Amino acid sequence: MQMRRALLKKFALVLLAALFLNSLIFYGASSRSILNSTREDMLYILESADSLLEYGGDLNGQVARLELVTDRYDSRLTVIAADGSVAADTGADAASLDNHLGREEVEAALAEGSGYAIRRSATLGRTMLYVAMRSAHSDNVLRLAVPYSGMREYLPLLFPAAMGSFMLALACSIAATERFVSSVTRPLRVISREMLKVRGDYRSLKFEPSPYPEINVIADTTMEMSRDVEEYLARIEKEKQIRQEFFSNASHELKTPITSIQGYAELLEGGLIRDENMQRDFAGRIKKEAVRMTGLINDILMISRLETKEAEVVMTDVRVSVLLEEIVGGLKPQAAAGQVFIHIDCQPLMIRANAQHMRELFTNLIGNAVKYNRPGGQVWVNVRESDRQMVARVRDNGVGIPEDSLDRIFERFYRVDKGRSRKQGGTGLGLSIVKHIVGYYHGTIRVESKLDEGSEFVVTLPMEA
């Protein structure tokens, strides 16, 4: 309602100002029109008098005969010589009048042929309109003076009609303004009501189109904001679900080695195992589970640091070919055990990055290619520089990834083959770490795979971090 009243008030003020300005313009234009019309009529009278006067005869006598007419209309006719002296006048003795050469209308008539002036007459004591014309038959100037009030004379007649028109225009304008304001505020009220009706389901928002594009912009913006809120809430819900799954999987993954360690430790502590070989076997299993648990914790911490970006990361120039040789050297026992052959084709290049990040990225990609392969399988690692970016391809001809799992392989703790993954000792976090590292450097990763034919991972990272 406040907006409605404010709009009505402003429209009313603008309307009043417009009507007032229009009245001033009308008054000025009408005054000018009346003045011009009166001047033309007076010039016509002067031209007629000029053609009737005999300038070689008795001018006073001829002008005196016109006094009956001029007195009737409170006007004066004056004949002025070229030197400004008054030759004849219908209202006074010519000899008693001052020289008129300095009068505005006389100067204009002598210079331009005709002229006029409005001023108060000292002789008659009222405002007069003076129109002067240079004679076409002599050197004299003829001047006619009449009482002049301009538009003031017509105001008593025009005021009632003007006020009536003004009030009618005001009423019509207020009605039009009320209608316009309603057309503006109504869509806003509809938007407000629709927003208040929303109870979590933003898809129910619907707005009727308004005749004003500006109002439609508000409705469209509201709809877009509602969609953004809906997407934001969905993202929060998804992140909440991911966190719950993460904690559940993390606790499960940590519980498994802890349970094994606890079981083996209790057997050793209870003295039930007396065989030294079996004791060493149990100790080795405890160590293996401890290493697995340490690796799991390190992977979780790595993902956490990559997500929060809170830890300070030291950037250096990493020689990729040297790094790959070290990684492949560390994977040789695993590759030899699985009879998998690794081929490296790396262009000599250096990337500005964190060395540990690059080690984790390549170790996980190449390690997975070895781990999920078959006896006699091959792994090809190709690294090239293109458009100031490092493009790394890791391809294998192993077991491949089912198509329905391609969208989930980067999720934490997701395993395509859970039994094989546990047997191989994986934590289920390797590809998630790879994705987080790629995201940390604003790079891209894509995967292509066919079941029983193999997989290819393509990572693109900027050369300068």
Side-chain angles (χ1 to χ4, degrees):
M1 291 301 292
Q2 291 182 353
M3 178 180 177
R4 186 185 187 87
R5 285 195 296 268
L7 287 173
L8 283 172
K9 183 179 179 180
K10 291 183 184 299
F11 267 86
L13 290 175
V14 171
L15 177 63
L16 289 173
L19 290 174
F20 179 73
L21 181 61
N22 182 65
S23 300
L24 290 179
I25 294 173
F26 174 76
Y27 182 84
S30 300
S31 298
R32 176 63 60 179
S33 177
I34 291 172
L35 176 61
N36 291 336
S37 178
T38 304
R39 281 175 55 204
E40 290 175 2
D41 292 341
M42 293 172 69
L43 282 173
Y44 177 75
I45 293 172
L46 289 174
E47 289 173 357
S48 300
D50 183 39
S51 63
L52 294 174
L53 290 174
E54 295 180 4
Y55 292 98
D58 181 13
L59 284 176
N60 283 314
Q62 296 178 65
V63 170
R65 288 196 295 270
L66 298 174
E67 288 184 6
L68 292 175
V69 178
T70 56
D71 289 346
R72 187 184 306 167
Y73 295 102
D74 295 329
S75 58
R76 291 175 64 184
L77 177 63
T78 306
V79 180
I80 304 168
D83 60 359
S85 60
V86 178
D89 189 272
T90 58
D93 181 22
S96 65
L97 297 175
D98 297 333
N99 189 291
H100 284 33
L101 189 62
R103 305 294 171 86
E104 180 183 349
E105 68 278 5
V106 176
E107 289 181 347
L110 290 172
E112 303 173 6
S114 65
Y116 78 97
I118 301 174
R119 63 177 177 270
R120 187 172 180 81
S121 171
T123 306
L124 300 176
R126 60 194 303 183
T127 301
M128 304 290 286
L129 170 61
Y130 297 89
V131 177
M133 183 195 76
R134 189 170 56 213
S135 172
H137 306 289
S138 68
D139 294 335
N140 296 318
V141 173
L142 278 73
R143 188 186 72 175
L144 182 62
V146 298
Y148 185 76
S149 58
M151 275 292 292
R152 292 192 298 274
E153 181 180 348
Y154 301 95
L155 285 179
L157 298 175
L158 295 175
F159 185 75
M163 284 303 298
S165 301
F166 179 84
M167 296 305 296
L168 179 61
L170 182 62
C172 293
S173 300
I174 289 176
T177 301
E178 173 73 20
R179 187 172 181 180
F180 170 73
V181 171
S182 297
S183 68
V184 172
T185 57
R186 189 183 306 112
L188 295 177
R189 289 196 300 270
V190 171
I191 292 174
S192 176
R193 284 197 299 269
E194 288 293 322
M195 292 294 292
L196 291 174
K197 288 193 297 185
V198 172
R199 292 293 183 269
D201 186 9
Y202 292 91
R203 291 170 294 184
S204 63
L205 278 176
K206 290 183 180 179
F207 302 112
E208 294 294 330
S210 168
Y212 304 106
E214 294 80 2
I215 302 296
N216 289 329
V217 167
I218 297 175
D220 294 340
T221 304
T222 304
M223 291 288 291
E224 185 174 350
M225 289 178 62
S226 69
R227 287 191 292 269
D228 291 342
V229 170
E230 185 178 7
E231 292 174 1
Y232 177 72
L233 293 176
R235 188 164 63 250
I236 290 177
E237 185 63 28
K238 184 177 180 180
E239 291 176 354
K240 178 182 176 182
Q241 183 179 355
I242 291 174
R243 282 195 299 271
Q244 289 176 343
E245 292 179 357
F246 172 75
F247 288 125
S248 175
N249 290 329
S251 61
H252 175 74
E253 294 293 335
L254 287 170
K255 184 178 180 180
T256 300
I258 290 174
T259 301
S260 298
I261 291 172
Q262 183 180 1
Y264 292 134
E266 287 177 353
L267 289 174
L268 291 173
E269 184 183 31
L272 299 177
I273 307 300
R274 299 186 178 275
D275 184 55
E276 291 185 2
N277 293 329
M278 188 171 291
Q279 288 177 353
R280 283 195 295 271
D281 178 61
F282 279 18
R285 293 187 182 188
I286 290 174
K287 181 179 178 181
K288 181 180 178 181
E289 293 296 339
V291 169
R292 179 186 171 194
M293 188 165 60
T294 302
L296 178 62
I297 292 173
N298 289 336
D299 286 348
I300 292 173
L301 291 175
M302 169 73 76
I303 292 176
S304 177
R305 285 193 294 266
L306 289 169
E307 282 184 338
T308 59
K309 298 182 180 181
E310 292 178 354
E312 183 178 352
V313 176
V314 178
M315 299 294 181
T316 59
D317 292 327
V318 180
R319 296 177 62 187
V320 179
S321 59
V322 174
L323 178 65
L324 288 176
E325 289 178 2
E326 296 177 1
I327 293 172
V328 172
L331 291 173
K332 274 185 178 180
Q334 184 179 356
Q339 301 179 26
V340 176
F341 302 92
I342 304 175
H343 309 279
I344 302 296
D345 181 12
C346 179
Q347 178 183 346
L349 57 85
M350 287 194 300
I351 182 172
R352 188 72 178 174
N354 178 265
Q356 183 60 29
H357 287 174
M358 295 300 101
R359 183 180 298 276
E360 288 286 341
L361 186 145
F362 282 109
T363 299
N364 280 297
L365 289 177
I366 301 173
N368 280 351
V370 172
K371 190 184 302 180
Y372 300 104
N373 216 310
R374 62 190 71 187
Q378 310 281 332
V379 175
W380 296 271
V381 181
N382 180 280
V383 181
R384 290 287 184 272
E385 179 182 350
S386 176
D387 296 330
R388 298 299 302 158
Q389 291 184 320
M390 182 189 75
V391 181
R393 299 174 182 271
V394 179
R395 182 169 61 90
D396 66 73
N397 59 352
V399 298
I401 303 170
E403 186 175 354
D404 57 354
S405 296
L406 287 175
D407 293 336
R408 300 195 60 191
I409 57 175
F410 295 106
E411 295 179 10
R412 302 164 187 169
F413 298 110
Y414 181 78
R415 294 182 175 92
V416 176
D417 186 345
K418 295 180 173 58
R420 179 166 182 167
S421 296
R422 293 187 184 280
K423 183 179 179 181
Q424 296 287 352
T427 64
L429 295 174
L431 288 180
S432 180
I433 291 174
V434 170
K435 183 179 180 181
H436 279 81
I437 291 173
V438 171
Y440 185 87
Y441 291 94
H442 306 289
T444 61
I445 183 170
R446 59 183 177 86
V447 57
E448 295 179 1
S449 183
K450 289 186 178 180
L451 199 60
D452 297 325
E453 292 185 15
S455 306
E456 182 180 31
F457 289 81
V458 181
V459 174
T460 303
L461 297 178
M463 296 294 292
E464 297 291 335

